[in-house]
Amino acid sequence: MSMTIALAGNPNSGKTTLFNALTGSNQHVGNWPGVTVERKEGQTRYGNQVYRVVDLPGTYSLGAFSEDEVVAREFIVSGNPDVVINVVDATNIERNLYLTTQLLEMGTKVVVALNMVDEAESREIHVDEKALAQRLGVPVIRTVASRRKGIDELMEAAIAVARVPLNGHVQLSYGESIDKRIEVLKGFLQGGDFRYPSSWLALKLLEGDSYAKKFVFENSNLRDLEEFSRFWDEVAVHEEEFQLEIVDSRYKFVGDITKDVVRRPGVAVETTTDKVDRVLTHKYWGMPIFAAIMFAIFQLTFAVGQDLLGEWMAVAIDYVGGALEGFLVGVNAPAWLIDFIGNGMVAGVGAVVEFVPLIVILYLLMGLLEDSGYMARAAYVMDNTMRAVGLQGKTFISMIVGFGCNVPGVMATRTLENKKDRMIAILINPFMSCGAKIPIYLVFIAAFFPSYGGLVLFSVYALGVAVAFLMGKIFSKTLFKGETSHFIMELPPYRKPTLSNVVRNMWDNVSGFLARAGTIILAVVSLLWVLAVLPLGVEPYGSASILGRIGQFIAPIFEPAGFGTWQAAVGLFSGIAAKEAVVATLGMVYAGVEAGTELVAAIREVFTPLTAVSFMVMTLLYTPCAATLGTIKKETGSAKWTLFSAFYSFGIAWVLSVLVFQVGRVLGFS
Amino acid sequence: MEYSTLITLREGDICKVARIQAGTTATMRLYEMGFNTGARVQVLKNDRGPIIVGLGGHKVALGRGLAEKMLVARSK
């Protein structure tokens, strides 16, 4: 079996950048703490060997307060990595070495990657890595993961460390009263079949670590149980005190080392980050600036993605469709096949693919935001507002991630420490309008509001956020009462976004979009096409087809919202498979080969501006797609909450779209 | 030594962490993030919304509720 190398370190220290550099993977990176919330695996070749590399979510300690940290801790403690590459941010070495200390206490084989040394040097922070290596007793390699510097040396050191057995491990002193108790505990622990050094287990027990407790109580034949429980009762009284003392001891250990090996300027100079933050986190301007940035993103997306590139795409799809049909007619293909390809596939899938340029632009812009370091500021700026609705600023990050796709959005809630915060964040995430819904809005915008594209799109997103806030408030007052957790978030320094990161993150999303168009959307469209032309003899795509009848059965539900047509009903229904399917279905049932313009023209005939708005509200808010529901199930571990999510969002969507339509009608809109 | 809560400090003030009384979880989290006893903290922003402090050359935003529960010793 090949060796396993785990990457561990503080949030935003560059683990995933290093992982990508090592394995040639394209994992999502960003300049904010909490990008990686899952374990990612890859392989790297060094010499003639292949090694398994595991990227872990960032963590400040092995204490594991949130779900993502639990993932990291579990792997380090029980995943048996052959060696841990501990990625240490050279600009913030004191805090980063805290985790290093914990790894050393555990007797893990560690190699330190002293990362971002370039940034440290530019801030005049100098680390003597040789002295540091000597003090820690493990190799320390200088790296700049983003520029692939030091990667070979790092691999060499990691392999060398993994090959030889560990000789002893770092033993800190935690003060007399704790050291004494560690010795006593070690006595109790002897004879158990443990994978960990008994001094570490003893220490963890004193720290009140739940994993260690469970491990010891389940795996050991503790000696003198009676005496032990007496001892344990006495320890429990002091638990909190011990915890803090142990942390202090570790920081003292770190401080003693850094005092000798790190040189930093005496007076902190005001950095560019400080200057930029003066504006972006300003008490009054912070929020308007955030809103303006988001608004600009949508305007730009529209101007470039739709007005400039969208036309070409429509022409290209028409051309491909026409050519395909011409070819099929030329080779005397059966009529049903021509119809399936032209009216089913090209009209359906084409209606989705047409919007790729726009989605590319949107994700490029969001990528810039992510890579710059602004995300953490957005969370900061929003904290007050979020708190007013019973949530906290960090939740907002999962919401922004949801703008891309609700699947990672729901997963991003793992960074929330508090169960209540996390449940609410999961339940409101689907109101964040994802990229897959964009084609729906665009068709309706093109049909009714062509000159206000950016504004309408921005308003739709804003409505989603507003509904999320409202539901957050309601949930925190009813289903999930309790304290909102405190806001603690590191604000990383601003960095110039790198092209490769921005493009990679864009491609992450766009390739998913394309892949869905080629798989699930194609499958849905094919199935619906069959239903639309059967039973034989009825008018295809007509109300008498199976599809038409299904649609007619559902349609009355949407009557009060103004779009009670069977086509709209079928479209919405298919959207539960994947949101792009809404447009694909509309494209198929309303239009033929020339999907783009013809679909828009058809929509203009059957909808009105008012019903278009109410339909957009519906698609924005109703039942999440299957993939999102699956993720909700996985993250909450509860079928009940998954079903709840599916139904309550439908209810909200229905109520609001009915409200829009009915109130709009009273006000004289049509 | 005069103790006050972090929230009462003004922009530019430098202090040392003395004691955090925010419940076990939040206290441990802060401790492990480097707000341990004696850690040197500089207040960078304290007006509206979370307070921003500099800690070891990095910036950390802390909710106001939390800053009320951090006892610090002013050093100037």
Side-chain angles (χ1 to χ4, degrees):
Chain A
M1 213 188 83
S2 68
M3 252 182 220
T4 300
I5 302 172
L7 302 182
N10 283 185
N12 216 31
S13 60
K15 291 171 296 302
T16 304
T17 306
L18 180 62
F19 178 79
N20 286 341
L22 280 173
T23 62
S25 306
N26 280 312
Q27 292 299 341
H28 196 129
V29 294
N31 183 19
W32 45 283
V35 183
T36 310
V37 292
E38 248 196 326
R39 201 170 93 193
K40 302 275 168 64
E41 300 202 9
Q43 287 188 332
T44 188
R45 185 173 278 282
Y46 189 81
N48 306 319
Q49 293 280 333
V50 174
Y51 300 89
R52 174 174 168 240
V53 184
V54 179
D55 184 25
L56 298 172
T59 180
Y60 293 111
S61 74
L62 294 179
F65 296 98
S66 54
E67 228 25 66
D68 56 330
E69 291 181 324
V70 170
V71 172
R73 203 267 294 268
E74 290 287 289
F75 193 81
I76 295 169
V77 174
S78 44
N80 288 324
D82 292 289
V83 58
V84 172
I85 292 181
N86 176 205
V87 183
V88 165
D89 175 355
T91 67
N92 194 3
I93 193 157
E94 284 85 358
R95 197 202 54 212
N96 276 253
L97 287 181
Y98 182 84
L99 178 67
T100 313
T101 309
Q102 286 196 314
L103 291 172
L104 295 176
E105 283 172 343
M106 214 178 104
T108 318
K109 290 181 177 179
V110 175
V111 172
V112 169
L114 192 63
N115 199 26
M116 303 194 224
V117 278
D118 54 340
E119 210 173 297
E121 300 276 316
S122 79
R123 286 165 64 180
E124 291 175 51
I125 301 167
H126 303 284
V127 183
D128 180 350
E129 80 273 13
K130 290 205 180 68
L132 180 62
Q134 207 211 337
R135 297 285 287 270
L136 293 173
V138 301
V140 176
I141 313 293
R142 294 162 70 91
T143 59
V144 182
S146 59
R147 287 192 272 131
R148 313 180 67 92
K149 281 195 180 156
I151 304 292
D152 283 348
E153 294 89 325
L154 186 63
M155 274 305 287
E156 197 178 324
I159 294 162
V161 168
R163 284 226 175 96
V164 294
L166 204 69
N167 53 343
H169 64 278
V170 171
Q171 189 77 59
L172 277 68
S173 168
Y174 306 93
E176 202 188 324
S177 66
I178 293 174
D179 287 350
K180 202 175 68 201
R181 287 182 174 84
I182 290 180
E183 285 310 313
V184 176
L185 268 173
K186 270 165 75 176
F188 285 120
L189 290 170
Q190 253 155 36
D193 175 25
F194 297 132
R195 281 179 279 161
Y196 311 105
S198 58
S199 57
W200 181 75
L201 278 175
L203 175 70
K204 283 285 153 188
L205 286 177
L206 290 176
E207 253 192 304
D209 184 275
S210 54
Y211 177 83
K213 276 188 204 162
K214 195 159 163 268
F215 183 81
V216 168
F217 295 145
E218 278 174 11
N219 293 268
S220 69
N221 35 4
L222 276 161
R223 291 185 179 179
D224 311 319
L225 253 174
E226 208 168 298
E227 205 180 317
F228 175 80
S229 58
R230 223 175 306 134
F231 174 79
W232 190 243
D233 288 343
E234 186 247 342
V235 166
V237 180
H238 299 285
E239 190 173 285
E240 205 158 322
E241 195 181 308
F242 287 163
Q243 281 181 341
L244 299 186
E245 257 174 70
I246 291 170
V247 178
D248 277 338
S249 307
R250 291 194 188 113
Y251 268 107
K252 188 175 172 303
F253 171 77
V254 170
D256 286 345
I257 295 176
T258 53
K259 188 175 83 227
D260 298 336
V261 306
V262 182
R263 268 189 304 124
R264 53 168 78 242
V267 251
V269 274
E270 189 179 55
T271 58
T272 320
T273 294
D274 296 330
K275 286 176 197 150
V276 176
D277 267 343
R278 234 164 251 290
V279 181
L280 294 185
T281 61
H282 190 272
K283 59 175 163 177
Y284 301 125
W285 306 338
M287 270 274 263
I289 289 174
F290 173 62
I293 289 176
M294 293 313 279
F295 185 69
I297 286 181
F298 291 118
Q299 283 293 347
L300 235 106
T301 299
F302 240 91
V304 182
Q306 185 67 354
D307 301 346
L308 222 63
L309 305 173
E311 294 276 305
W312 300 354
M313 206 63 188
V315 171
I317 288 167
D318 280 359
Y319 178 79
V320 171
L324 259 176
E325 198 176 335
F327 168 76
L328 290 171
V329 171
V331 298
N332 281 326
W336 67 265
L337 185 63
I338 297 176
D339 184 65
F340 171 69
I341 299 284
N343 295 331
M345 228 176 73
V346 177
V349 177
V352 174
V353 173
E354 196 187 325
F355 300 105
V356 165
L358 191 137
I359 287 165
V360 167
I361 303 292
L362 179 66
Y363 285 125
L364 281 178
L365 294 172
M366 296 288 266
L368 285 178
L369 218 56
E370 255 192 78
D371 219 33
S372 66
Y374 185 70
M375 286 284 271
R377 273 73 184 183
Y380 170 85
V381 168
M382 290 304 291
D383 185 64
N384 262 356
T385 314
M386 299 292 284
R387 217 152 270 284
V389 297
L391 301 168
Q392 65 137 312
K394 229 167 160 186
T395 304
F396 199 69
I397 288 201
S398 65
M399 291 166 73
I400 300 182
V401 175
F403 280 157
C405 173
N406 298 128
V407 170
V410 168
M411 289 180 57
T413 62
R414 286 187 180 183
T415 60
L416 297 165
E417 287 107 358
N418 172 319
K419 172 103 178 146
K420 165 223 157 201
D421 287 358
R422 186 155 183 246
M423 282 303 294
I424 299 178
I426 288 175
L427 289 176
I428 63 175
N429 200 277
F431 295 132
M432 299 296 104
S433 191
C434 71
K437 290 180 188 168
I438 290 177
I440 312 170
Y441 310 138
L442 295 185
V443 166
F444 285 87
I445 286 171
F448 297 106
F449 318 102
S451 354
Y452 303 101
L455 182 67
V456 173
L457 202 55
F458 178 76
S459 309
V460 169
Y461 276 69
L463 176 68
V465 173
V467 172
F469 282 173
L470 182 74
M471 290 318 296
K473 181 86 191 170
I474 293 174
F475 284 144
S476 64
K477 288 264 178 237
T478 55
L479 294 171
F480 304 99
K481 284 186 200 153
E483 285 278 299
T484 304
S485 56
H486 294 292
F487 182 67
I488 308 176
M489 183 159 212
E490 205 178 323
L491 304 178
Y494 290 106
R495 299 200 173 99
K496 208 170 94 193
T498 59
L499 185 68
S500 60
N501 282 352
V502 173
V503 169
R504 179 193 299 129
N505 292 350
M506 179 277 290
W507 184 241
D508 228 25
N509 284 302
V510 173
S511 60
F513 187 84
L514 286 173
R516 280 196 303 278
T519 53
I520 184 157
I521 305 303
L522 185 60
V524 168
V525 165
S526 305
L527 176 70
L528 293 183
W529 178 81
V530 172
L531 295 177
V533 295
L534 288 180
L536 288 174
V538 300
E539 185 201 344
Y541 315 108
S543 54
S545 65
I546 298 180
L547 190 66
R549 285 185 221 162
I550 296 175
Q552 277 171 322
F553 180 72
I554 317 172
I557 306 176
F558 302 112
E559 199 70 58
F563 46 84
T565 63
W566 70 265
Q567 290 96 333
V570 168
L572 286 172
F573 194 65
S574 66
I576 296 174
K579 296 296 168 180
E580 296 96 328
V582 175
V583 157
T585 307
L586 294 180
M588 191 185 75
V589 294
Y590 279 133
V593 177
E594 291 103 79
T597 48
E598 204 171 292
L599 175 57
V600 169
I603 294 285
R604 210 176 280 142
E605 262 167 46
V606 287
F607 282 83
T608 66
L610 182 61
T611 57
V613 172
S614 107
F615 189 78
M616 283 196 277
V617 170
M618 184 77 199
T619 49
L620 165 71
L621 304 171
Y622 84 117
T623 309
C625 72
T628 303
L629 287 173
T631 310
I632 293 176
K633 169 79 176 44
K634 197 174 119 219
E635 297 296 309
T636 59
S638 152
K640 190 186 91 185
W641 285 116
T642 310
L643 279 174
F644 176 78
S645 166
F647 284 100
Y648 101 95
S649 51
F650 186 86
I652 303 279
W654 187 85
V655 169
L656 278 181
S657 55
V658 168
L659 217 65
V660 165
F661 179 65
Q662 300 297 347
V663 172
R665 218 164 43 160
V666 169
L667 294 178
F669 292 102
S670 63
Chain B
M1 190 71 88
E2 276 284 307
Y3 292 113
S4 48
T5 57
L6 183 64
I7 197 85
T8 61
L9 268 60
R10 283 198 239 151
E11 224 169 87
D13 285 352
I14 294 173
C15 60
K16 287 202 162 136
V17 177
R19 197 175 165 78
I20 305 171
Q21 295 160 311
T24 321
T25 315
T27 304
M28 267 305 267
R29 150 108 316 167
L30 285 171
Y31 247 69
E32 297 203 312
M33 274 183 85
F35 292 93
N36 57 309
T37 314
R40 188 174 170 279
V41 171
Q42 180 172 23
V43 178
L44 300 174
K45 184 173 184 289
N46 181 10
D47 40 35
R48 201 167 153 264
I51 182 168
I52 301 180
V53 298
L55 174 76
H58 266 232
K59 293 180 151 192
V60 183
L62 300 173
R64 300 192 77 77
L66 211 48
E68 277 167 11
K69 291 171 183 144
M70 265 173 100
L71 274 180
V72 296
R74 279 227 350 233
S75 46
K76 66 167 188 185

